[in-house]
């Protein structure tokens, strides 16, 4: 569940001592452990036992968990963070070498089963959360559940995991093939028939192109022919569908394929009952294949010889590489080159040795699925690598990998360096460009000439700007050819704040040529001014009303407009641009002073807006203060002190409904927007901190709103939810995504509108959980579940994917999903988070704007890029990183490129009631309370 807070303490809270844990505590721990990779195949009863005996540990960076040679006392699983595995040949810690790292989802420490010494030293490489099970309890679990734990542990206790990439029971795919065959025979029987080709007859066959055509007509979950090919490839790999000449790749061509049932002579036609069953199961079958099809398609591409891969194939591989953590530090160019040389290997037999210690490494591997044990002679298994990990650069091993030869990898790095242009000043790099071949043009003589384009990789802020201005084309509008400039305009706040950018732009605008004829000097001056004017207009368009919150920017625009106005009197060529600049200037001025002219629709909250909010004391009395949105904690405490009479030793605290306390730092800003849904601000002295208790109002409602809610149509609710969500989404400025990613304290900016939009996601989740847990009557609860499913479906129709996922995740909360009597259907096939939400990404790629995207995933993508890539490399701005983050921000721009204006449902008599209801959802946001309510509805079975 995506509950977006900085760091929650609730998990450690529920990991109280085993003897003190209640049933509700165990349920909450269980919900978290189900998402840990190490436990994904564990039987529920085993997970339950782990919840009862496991201890929670959080360790800061640099803590040694145990040393090589120690006799172990505990087994561990990594819940978050990472740890280094260090091995010494002399058993001396001083000469220990880090051989690999253990990430989230890995487990280690099984030597406690036979009391053998630890094979390695384990040290935290960052803040890490661990689950620890003591030796006695672990041995007890092993004796009872060793069959399902065997895949997790290293030999000799367990067996190395099989690397089958398709972890779907064959029975399901056999059934899927039967359903599709019966559906075709029912709806388009002519597709399966005897066919002749080159004087040879092929019995009971289908044509590849016809199968793709038919599949695309059957379901909205099939968005493209490429996707359909992947879905048929799944059946081909399993032998449920076969090529008549036994080729291993399904192709969207006039090639013949035969269903498994048709391999036998005189295969029976489906009975009437079988036809009916197939019609009922068809959509679920297509949904299943749409989820696992992309993996099959990827395998099919990787099995091709690199020389046979099409441009589309390379793009699909490249898109996959973007989400592999082992490659996050590599440039886009290197990833694109890797897409051309990666090959596929599958090792289905557990225990396969890929190479031995001491052998010369010839390949670099990335684990796609499965896991690999790293064994060192005399040490045994020192760690296990999992999906997304890589090895081979230091000569290791893997299970179900893709591999690129070391020669290919070295060639790519050499080629990249050979095509790297470095501009130096005083012996130091100031600009790094990457040269690549652009589309060829034909010379007058008809021969093809090579033309190169140069992409900025890194540089000083001033040199990057100078280069981008020089490369700007004045003969075209601001188009994709200037995308690097657009990236600069969007991202410069990270490395060149407005206070530094504005003087640099003025200096560029007034720059004069020092050499050349008078005409050449005039041309240089004129073109230089035109470039800067275009850049400033683009800058003003992207930043919009954010500029009015910055005095430096306002003063710069006034000075710049005056300078251009004066120059246009003597340089007539500037007059057209002056008209555009004047229009931009007036729009900004109007934004600066809209006042009473503001439209009735929701307006973005600005950092200099003033707000009223309550700050509570220990005795639940409160004082109301008025401060700016961007006020720091220090300023808020000052305002509170004015009313309370003293600021001495006052703390500002975020108190959640569950009683969790988070003390704000003095420099934190816009704290009101960071509160949880039912969170409140408290001011107290440090010695009063432990005595703070939540307000009664923070508990949320005690009865559900079913009597009102059941009178509203699902489509009405979804429409008004989408309308309100669009207002919130539209208020989020692109720059807020950047401030959020890099930390608003770092860029000294607020993210209020983004905070409110993200909080809306949590609010919808908790609304769903609250209503379900407050509905005591089983029959009503079943109807309520169906209503939420319909609302989710309508939100998807309105392209409100944020609300769609919020509703689905609300229903997947353990307080709801454990209500087994309530569930009749499984809707979660629609929401498949595997492979980095591939199903969602495929869906969005085919949608036209306006779209309200699944914002937590965009935030995750940007955070992944930010944390996996340095902002500065050798004191130069890593512009490649800026480009990658800007591309994610541009997804938001694309989603909002059209105005939201769907057909409104026919106005019902309670239209206004629905409008008000969805904007004032009353929720319980205390997971413990919700779990207790759930247990009251359906007590735990003994």
């Amino acid at each position: 569940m995506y509950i977006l807070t900085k760091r929650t303490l609730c998990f450690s809270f529920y990991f109280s001592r085993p003897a003190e844990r209640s049933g509700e505590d165990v349920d909450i721990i269980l919900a978290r452990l189900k998402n840990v990779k190490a436990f994904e195949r564990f039987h529920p009863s085993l997970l339950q036992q782990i919840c009862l005996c496991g201890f929670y540990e959080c360790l800061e960076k640099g803590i040694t968990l145990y040393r090589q040679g120690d006799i172990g006392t505990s087994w561990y699983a990594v819940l978050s963070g990472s740890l280094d595995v260090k091995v010494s040949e002399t058993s001396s810690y001083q000469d220990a070498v880090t051989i690999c790292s253990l990430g989230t989802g890995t487990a280690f420490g099984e030597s406690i089963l036979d009391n053998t010494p630890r094979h390695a030293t384990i040290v935290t490489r960052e803040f890490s959360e661990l689950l620890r099970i003591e030796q006695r309890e672990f041995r007890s679990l092993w004796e009872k559940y060793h069959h399902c734990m065997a895949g997790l542990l290293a030999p000799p206790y367990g067996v190395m995991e099989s690397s089958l990439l398709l972890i779907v029971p064959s029975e399901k795919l056999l059934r899927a093939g039967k359903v599709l065959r019966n559906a075709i025979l029912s709806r388009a029987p002519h597709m399966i028939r005897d066919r002749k080709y080159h004087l040879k007859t092929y019995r009971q066959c289908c044509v590849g192109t016809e199968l793709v055509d038919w599949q695309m007509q059957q379901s909205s979950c099939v968005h493209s022919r490429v996707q359909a090919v992947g879905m048929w490839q799944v059946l081909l790999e399993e032998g449920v569908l076969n090529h008549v000449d036994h080729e291993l790749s399904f192709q969207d061509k006039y090639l013949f394929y035969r269903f498994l049932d048709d391999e036998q002579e005189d295969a029976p036609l489906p009975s009437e009952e079988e036809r009916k069953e197939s019609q009922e199961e068809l959509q679920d079958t297509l949904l299943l294949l749409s989820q696992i099809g992309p993996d099959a398609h990827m395998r099919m591409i990787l099995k091709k010889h690199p020389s046979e891969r099409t441009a589309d194939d390379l793009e699909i591989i490249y898109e996959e590489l973007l989400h592999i953590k082992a490659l996050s530090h590599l440039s886009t160019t290197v990833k694109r080159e890797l897409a051309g040389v990666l090959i596929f290997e599958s090792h289905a037999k557990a225990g396969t040795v890929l190479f031995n210690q001491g052998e010369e490494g010839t390949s670099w591997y990335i684990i796609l699925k499965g896991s690999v044990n790293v064994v060192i002679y005399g040490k045994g298994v020192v760690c296990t690598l999992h999906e997304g990990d890589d090895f081979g650069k230091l000569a290791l091993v893997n299970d179900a990998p893709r591999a690129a030869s070391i020669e290919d990898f070295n060639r790519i790095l050499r080629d990249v360096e050979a095509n790297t242009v470095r501009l130096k000043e005083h012996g130091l790099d100031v600009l790094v460009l990457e040269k690549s071949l652009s589309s060829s043009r034909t010379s007058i003589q008809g021969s093809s000439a090579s033309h190169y384009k140069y992409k900025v990789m890194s540089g000083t802020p001033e040199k990057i700007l100078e280069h981008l201005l020089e490369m700007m084309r004045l003969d075209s509008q601001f188009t994709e050819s200037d995308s690097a400039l657009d990236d600069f305009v969007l991202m410069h706040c990270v490395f060149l704040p407005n206070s530094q950018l504005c003087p640099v732009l003025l200096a560029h605008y007034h720059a004069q040529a020092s050499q050349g004829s008078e005409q050449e000097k005039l041309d240089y001056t004129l073109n230089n001014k035109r470039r800067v004017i275009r850049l400033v207009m683009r800058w003003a368009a992207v930043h919009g009303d954010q500029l009015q919150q910055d005095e430096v920017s306002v003063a710069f625009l006034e000075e710049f407009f005056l300078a251009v106005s004066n120059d246009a009197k003597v340089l007539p060529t500037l007059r057209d641009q002056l008209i555009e600049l004047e229009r931009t200037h007036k729009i900004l001025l109007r934004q600066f002073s809209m006042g009473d002219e503001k439209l009735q629709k929701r307006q973005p909250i600005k950092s200099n807006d003033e707000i009223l909010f309550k700050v509570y004391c220990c005795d639940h009395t409160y004082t109301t203060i008025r401060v700016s949105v961007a006020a720091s904690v220090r300023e808020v405490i000052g305002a509170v002190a004015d009313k309370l009479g003293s600021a001495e030793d006052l703390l500002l605290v975020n108190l959640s409904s569950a009683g969790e306390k988070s003390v704000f730092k003095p420099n934190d800003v816009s704290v009101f927007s960071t509160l949880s849904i039912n969170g409140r601000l408290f001011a107290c002295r440090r010695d009063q901190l432990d005595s703070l208790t939540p307000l009664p109002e923070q508990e949320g409602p005690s009865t559900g709103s079913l009597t009102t809610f059941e009178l509203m149509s699902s489509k009405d609710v979804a429409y008004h939810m989408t309308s309100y969500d669009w207002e919130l989404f539209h208020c989020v400025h692109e720059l807020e995504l950047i401030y959020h990613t890099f930390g608003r304290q770092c860029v000294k900016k607020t993210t209020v509108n983004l905070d409110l939009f993200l909080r809306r996601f949590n609010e919808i989740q908790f609304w769903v959980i609250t209503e379900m847990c407050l509905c005591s009557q089983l029959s009503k609860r079943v109807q309520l579940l169906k209503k939420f499913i319909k609302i989710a479906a309508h939100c998807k129709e309105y392209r409100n994917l944020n609300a769609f996922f919020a509703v689905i995740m609300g229903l997947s909360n353990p307080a709801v999903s454990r209500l087994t009597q309530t569930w009749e259907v499984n809707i979660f096939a629609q929401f498949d988070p595997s492979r980095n939400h591939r199903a969602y990404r495929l869906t969005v790629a085919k949608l036209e704007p306006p779209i309200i995207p699944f914002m937590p995933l965009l935030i995750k993508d940007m955070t992944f890029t930010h944390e996996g890539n340095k902002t500065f490399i050798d004191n130069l701005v890593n512009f490649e990183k800026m480009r990658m983050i800007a591309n994610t921000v541009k997804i938001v721009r694309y989603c909002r490129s059209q105005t939201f204006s769907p057909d409104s449902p026919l106005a019902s008599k309670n239209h206004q009631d629905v409008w008000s209801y969805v904007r004032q959802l009353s929720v319980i946001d205390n997971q413990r309370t919700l779990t207790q309510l759930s247990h009251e509805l359906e007590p735990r079975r003994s």
Side-chain angles (χ1 to χ4, degrees):
M1 180 174 74
Y2 287 83
I3 301 296
L4 297 169
T5 55
K6 286 290 183 184
R7 178 176 285 164
T8 179
L9 300 176
C10 64
F11 191 49
S12 58
F13 176 76
Y14 292 123
F15 259 121
S16 51
R17 296 195 64 80
E20 300 170 0
R21 286 175 202 158
S22 65
E24 292 83 356
D25 293 340
V26 171
D27 280 342
I28 291 166
I29 299 170
L30 184 64
R32 170 89 183 256
L33 295 189
K34 282 181 178 178
N35 295 320
V36 176
K37 184 175 180 60
F39 304 137
E40 61 185 8
R41 297 185 185 181
F42 280 14
H43 190 275
S45 60
L46 171 56
L47 271 181
Q48 193 94 5
Q49 292 301 312
I50 289 174
C51 293
L52 289 170
C53 67
F55 289 84
Y56 170 86
E57 291 193 1
C58 58
L59 303 175
E60 296 298 328
K61 178 180 178 181
I63 300 298
T64 299
L65 202 62
Y66 55 74
R67 294 185 184 276
Q68 183 176 339
D70 290 350
I71 299 299
T73 58
S74 298
W75 176 86
Y76 301 88
V78 185
L79 301 175
S80 72
S82 58
L83 303 94
D84 286 330
V85 179
K86 297 175 180 283
V87 172
S88 166
E89 292 185 5
T90 65
S91 296
S92 171
Y93 180 69
Q94 282 69 30
D95 60 9
V97 176
T98 301
I99 60 167
C100 65
S101 295
L102 304 173
T104 302
T106 55
F108 58 96
E110 60 273 8
S111 64
I112 61 174
L113 285 173
D114 56 8
N115 284 328
T116 55
R118 299 293 198 188
H119 301 306
T121 298
I122 307 292
V123 182
T124 55
R125 63 182 305 176
E126 59 183 316
F127 176 87
S128 301
E129 295 176 291
L130 306 176
L131 171 71
R132 177 174 64 86
I133 300 179
E134 294 183 344
Q135 185 179 44
R136 188 180 65 178
E137 284 74 19
F138 189 74
R139 282 178 170 175
S140 174
L141 292 175
W142 173 254
E143 289 173 7
K144 189 173 182 181
Y145 298 101
H146 64 275
H147 294 297
C148 41
M149 295 174 74
L152 179 66
L153 306 185
Y157 314 110
V159 181
M160 193 154 59
E161 281 187 59
S162 167
S163 62
L164 292 175
L165 292 178
L166 190 62
I167 310 174
V168 177
S170 292
E171 291 77 10
K172 277 191 177 181
L173 295 180
L174 283 170
R175 180 60 189 166
K178 192 176 289 291
V179 167
L180 293 180
R181 175 181 179 269
N182 292 348
I184 289 173
L185 289 172
S186 299
R187 299 183 178 190
H190 63 279
M191 286 177 57
I192 301 178
R193 66 178 190 272
D194 294 348
R195 298 175 187 269
K196 286 189 177 181
Y197 187 70
H198 286 188
L199 303 179
K200 184 176 179 180
T201 299
Y202 295 90
R203 188 178 46 78
Q204 293 299 95
C205 294
C206 308
V207 173
T209 50
E210 292 180 3
L211 287 173
V212 171
D213 289 337
W214 179 83
Q215 198 171 67
M216 291 190 67
Q217 294 166 6
Q218 304 308 310
S219 172
S220 60
C221 71
V222 187
H223 305 291
S224 67
R225 301 188 74 83
V226 170
Q227 185 187 3
V229 166
M231 293 164 69
W232 288 115
Q233 178 67 22
V234 172
L235 300 180
L236 193 72
E237 287 182 349
E238 285 286 308
V240 178
L241 183 75
N242 297 296
H243 184 270
V244 293
D245 290 332
H246 307 292
E247 291 186 12
L248 300 178
S249 296
F250 183 91
Q251 296 186 60
D252 185 9
K253 294 181 178 179
Y254 191 77
L255 298 175
F256 298 155
Y257 298 91
R258 186 182 296 123
F259 282 99
L260 183 63
D261 286 352
D262 291 316
E263 294 286 353
Q264 56 182 326
E265 294 283 348
D266 301 321
L269 294 174
S271 65
E272 195 59 41
E273 184 178 349
E274 288 175 323
R275 290 172 188 262
K276 185 179 178 182
E277 287 178 354
S278 294
Q279 296 301 330
E280 292 173 352
E281 295 178 35
L282 179 60
Q283 293 307 312
D284 285 342
T285 298
L286 291 172
L287 199 55
L288 169 68
L289 294 176
S290 72
Q291 291 164 2
I292 56 182
D295 283 354
H297 191 235
M298 174 66 71
R299 289 192 294 276
M300 183 177 76
I301 292 172
L302 289 171
K303 286 176 181 176
K304 292 182 183 179
H305 189 276
S307 62
E308 297 174 356
R309 292 174 189 163
T310 66
D312 287 341
D313 290 343
L314 295 177
E315 190 64 26
I316 289 170
I317 299 173
Y318 169 72
E319 288 290 333
E320 180 74 14
L321 298 185
L322 288 177
H323 304 293
I324 293 178
K325 64 182 180 183
L327 307 181
S328 63
H329 65 288
L330 298 178
S331 70
T332 299
T333 304
V334 171
K335 287 175 187 151
R336 287 196 179 278
E337 289 285 335
L338 282 173
V341 299
L342 289 171
I343 58 175
F344 175 82
E345 289 184 15
S346 176
H347 299 280
K349 186 178 179 182
T352 302
V353 177
L354 292 188
F355 57 77
N356 291 302
Q357 183 176 342
E359 293 179 353
E360 181 180 353
T362 58
S363 293
W364 172 46
Y365 296 89
I366 304 163
I367 302 175
L368 179 59
K369 284 282 185 182
S371 62
V372 176
N373 287 320
V374 180
V375 183
I376 293 181
Y377 296 147
K379 307 291 183 185
V381 175
V382 293
C383 73
T384 301
L385 304 176
H386 292 278
E387 178 181 329
D389 291 331
D390 74 307
F391 57 89
K393 287 177 285 188
L394 299 175
L396 293 176
V397 181
N398 98 334
D399 192 13
R402 304 176 209 158
S405 80
I406 292 298
E407 289 180 9
D408 284 328
F409 187 62
N410 289 336
R411 175 187 61 75
I412 289 170
L413 296 181
R414 283 197 303 271
D415 289 350
V416 168
E417 186 58 36
N419 289 309
T420 299
V421 179
R422 299 177 183 275
L423 177 65
K424 294 180 180 287
E425 287 184 359
H426 307 295
L428 298 175
D429 289 344
V430 292
L431 187 66
V432 179
L433 305 173
E434 184 181 76
K435 179 176 72 174
S436 61
L437 194 64
S438 65
S439 55
S440 299
R441 298 175 186 173
T442 305
S443 64
I444 298 173
Q445 289 78 17
S447 61
S448 180
S450 296
H451 293 267
Y452 293 97
K453 57 183 179 181
Y454 294 85
K455 184 167 71 172
V456 178
M457 301 303 292
S458 62
T460 64
E462 295 78 8
K463 283 298 176 184
I464 292 173
L465 176 59
E466 182 180 317
H467 173 78
L468 294 177
L469 283 171
E470 288 176 0
M471 294 297 104
M472 184 189 291
R473 291 179 56 187
L474 291 171
D475 59 345
S476 67
Q477 296 298 313
F478 206 101
T479 61
E480 283 306 307
S481 62
D482 292 308
S483 62
L485 255 176
D486 205 24
D487 296 339
F488 179 91
V489 165
L490 196 55
M491 301 297 302
H492 75 82
C493 61
V494 175
F495 53 86
L496 190 68
N498 287 340
S499 58
Q500 298 174 27
L501 174 67
C502 294
V504 172
L505 288 175
L506 277 175
H508 276 291
Y509 181 77
H510 292 299
Q512 301 289 326
S514 57
Q515 297 178 345
S517 65
E518 289 302 316
Q519 185 59 45
E520 287 173 337
K521 288 181 180 180
L522 182 63
D523 289 344
Y524 171 85
T525 300
L526 178 62
N527 289 334
N528 191 59
K529 291 181 184 297
R530 290 176 62 199
R531 289 188 178 100
V532 177
I533 292 170
R534 282 191 64 192
L535 177 59
V536 169
M537 287 194 294
R538 184 60 184 165
W539 173 70
V542 168
H543 287 245
D545 59 2
Q546 293 274 316
L547 294 179
Q548 67 168 292
Q549 303 168 41
D550 183 3
E551 293 179 2
V552 172
S553 301
V554 174
F556 162 74
L557 286 171
E558 293 288 348
E559 183 179 352
F560 186 74
F561 179 70
L562 185 61
V564 176
S565 300
N566 291 333
D567 287 341
K569 296 172 184 175
V570 293
L571 296 170
T573 317
L574 295 181
R575 287 174 187 168
D576 287 344
Q577 282 186 298
L578 177 62
I579 294 172
E580 290 181 56
L581 184 62
E582 191 171 22
R583 190 182 304 120
T584 302
H585 191 241
K586 285 180 178 178
I587 290 171
L588 287 170
L589 284 176
R590 190 160 64 246
Q591 286 176 344
F592 298 165
S593 58
M594 283 181 76
D596 296 336
E597 299 174 21
K598 283 190 177 180
L599 301 175
Q600 290 302 307
K601 67 178 183 179
R602 186 184 185 92
Q603 296 295 314
I605 299 173
K606 304 184 181 74
S607 60
N608 55 3
D609 286 347
E610 288 196 334
I611 56 169
L612 285 169
F613 63 94
K614 298 175 181 177
V615 179
Y616 292 86
C617 302
C618 296
D619 59 0
H620 290 185
T621 59
Y622 65 85
T623 179
T624 303
I625 63 171
R626 179 192 293 272
V627 292
S628 69
V629 166
S632 68
V633 168
R634 190 175 284 109
E635 291 170 316
V636 172
I637 289 177
V640 170
D642 287 343
K643 297 203 173 187
L644 297 182
S646 172
E648 188 177 346
D649 197 31
L650 271 187
L651 301 176
L652 195 65
V653 182
N654 173 10
L655 184 65
S656 75
S657 59
E660 295 156 8
K661 307 174 188 73
S662 175
V663 179
F664 290 110
K665 297 175 183 176
N667 293 328
D668 288 344
V669 296
S670 301
V671 293
F672 87 94
S673 65
T674 65
L675 298 177
S676 55
I677 302 165
N678 291 342
R680 297 291 185 269
L681 278 179
F682 279 73
C684 69
R685 296 193 309 274
R686 189 171 296 278
D687 60 359
Q688 297 173 320
L689 189 60
D690 291 339
S691 64
L692 293 183
T693 57
L695 305 169
E697 67 188 53
Q698 289 183 254
E699 295 177 5
S702 57
T703 57
S705 60
L706 184 61
T707 51
T708 305
F709 183 46
E710 67 182 349
L711 299 176
M712 302 174 184
S713 84
S714 301
K715 190 162 189 175
D716 268 358
V717 172
Y719 171 80
H720 286 290
M721 281 175 64
T722 302
S723 181
Y724 181 50
D725 292 354
W726 179 260
E727 289 180 25
L728 293 170
F729 177 49
H730 198 262
C731 287
V732 177
H733 199 285
E734 293 175 359
L735 295 177
E736 292 187 65
L737 292 160
I738 298 167
Y739 303 156
H740 185 280
T741 301
F742 285 87
R744 54 191 185 181
Q745 267 65 40
C746 297
V747 293
K748 296 182 173 61
K749 300 288 184 180
T750 64
T751 58
V752 179
N753 299 290
L754 178 60
D755 292 341
L756 295 178
F757 183 56
L758 292 174
R759 187 159 71 180
R760 174 65 173 177
F761 183 90
N762 296 339
E763 185 179 59
I764 293 173
Q765 277 192 85
F766 280 119
W767 165 61
V768 172
I769 307 166
T770 300
E771 292 298 331
M772 290 293 295
C773 290
L774 289 177
C775 185
S776 57
Q777 193 175 336
L778 177 59
S779 60
K780 293 279 188 182
R781 203 160 60 246
V782 170
Q783 293 306 311
L784 186 58
L785 171 65
K786 291 179 178 179
K787 191 178 188 76
F788 279 128
I789 293 171
K790 287 181 182 177
I791 289 170
H794 287 307
C795 284
K796 195 174 180 184
E797 288 173 17
Y798 286 129
R799 287 167 282 185
N800 184 356
L801 302 180
N802 201 59
F804 167 76
F805 274 90
V807 173
I808 296 301
M809 287 181 167
L811 293 175
S812 69
N813 184 277
V816 178
S817 60
R818 66 170 296 279
L819 299 174
T820 54
Q821 296 173 31
T822 308
W823 290 88
E824 292 181 352
V825 291
N826 177 18
I827 62 164
F828 297 116
Q830 303 174 52
F831 158 58
D832 176 20
S834 65
R835 305 305 303 277
N836 198 22
H837 290 274
R838 184 201 287 272
Y840 165 79
R841 295 179 193 277
L842 284 170
T843 300
V844 173
K846 304 302 174 184
L847 293 179
E848 295 291 328
I851 306 164
I852 304 179
F854 180 26
M855 188 58 80
L857 185 58
L858 285 177
I859 296 292
K860 176 190 169 189
D861 287 347
M862 295 179 70
T863 303
F864 180 86
T865 302
H866 173 49
E867 294 181 350
N869 298 272
K870 294 180 179 178
T871 302
F872 294 93
I873 301 175
D874 298 329
N875 295 321
L876 301 180
V877 176
N878 181 1
F879 201 69
E880 179 75 0
K881 172 179 177 174
M882 303 301 131
R883 185 179 292 112
M884 289 190 285
I885 290 179
N887 285 339
T888 305
V889 176
K890 287 174 186 175
I891 293 173
V892 172
R893 184 181 297 176
Y894 172 75
C895 290
R896 299 193 296 203
S897 58
Q898 298 292 329
T899 305
F900 172 73
S901 54
D903 295 332
S904 173
L906 295 174
S908 58
K909 59 183 179 182
N910 60 352
H911 174 87
Q912 188 62 36
D913 294 337
V914 180
W915 185 93
S916 301
Y917 178 83
V918 300
R919 290 165 185 256
Q920 298 172 349
L921 299 176
S922 183
V923 307
I924 300 169
D925 67 350
N926 183 341
Q927 183 66 48
R928 179 186 287 278
T929 302
L930 292 167
T931 304
Q932 288 171 343
L933 289 169
S934 175
H935 279 271
E936 289 171 12
L937 294 175
E938 291 185 22
R940 181 195 302 276
R941 295 176 182 175
S942 57

